[in-house]
Amino acid sequence: EVQLVESGGGLVQAGGSLRLSCAASGFTFDDYAIGWFRQAPGKEREGVSCISSSDGSTYYADSVKGRFTISSDNAKNTVYLQMNSLKPEDTAVYYCAVGLDTIGSGNCPAYEYDYWGQGTQVTVSS
């Protein structure tokens, strides 16, 4: 059974930083990607950043490039999202997910991801 557990969310002032963690288990397939997605109230879920299991290639949404960094620790089966220079518009529930690796195509669409964590709230105050 695939399990994803996010942690690290919280309340931070604009300009601050947070690091999200996604502990993953139960994988039995190759060539997957792990992604971070977010959903703000009244908005669609959007891909924030994804990382490939096969070659470590990454994807970032334009809105977070230069501020967020995704990384993985294979020994711990954990993926991290370091978020710096946070803005109020980054406020959302952040989810990690496992799915088809399409990073080589330059995207990270939520519909390609089949397994999801429960989400962690990130709130950035102005």
Side-chain angles (χ1 to χ4, degrees), residues 14-94:
S17 298
L18 284 173
R19 188 177 80 156
L20 305 183
S21 300
C22 174
S25 62
F27 291 19
T28 59
F29 45 87
D30 297 323
D31 295 329
Y32 60 87
I34 294 184
W36 284 99
F37 300 81
R38 67 186 180 188
Q39 188 165 20
K43 295 188 177 181
E44 292 187 357
R45 190 169 297 188
E46 64 169 334
V48 175
S49 182
C50 299
I51 187 165
S52 168
S53 69
S54 59
D55 61 8
S57 58
T58 57
Y59 162 89
Y60 294 95
D62 288 342
S63 58
V64 306
K65 282 181 181 176
R67 300 189 298 123
F68 291 10
T69 303
I70 192 170
S71 61
S72 64
D73 184 335
N74 292 338
K76 296 182 179 180
N77 290 331
T78 300
V79 173
Y80 304 97
L81 185 68
Q82 178 67 43
M83 306 187 295
N84 298 329
S85 303
L86 283 162
K87 304 176 181 179
E89 51 263 44
D90 294 318
T91 295
V93 177
Y94 283 69

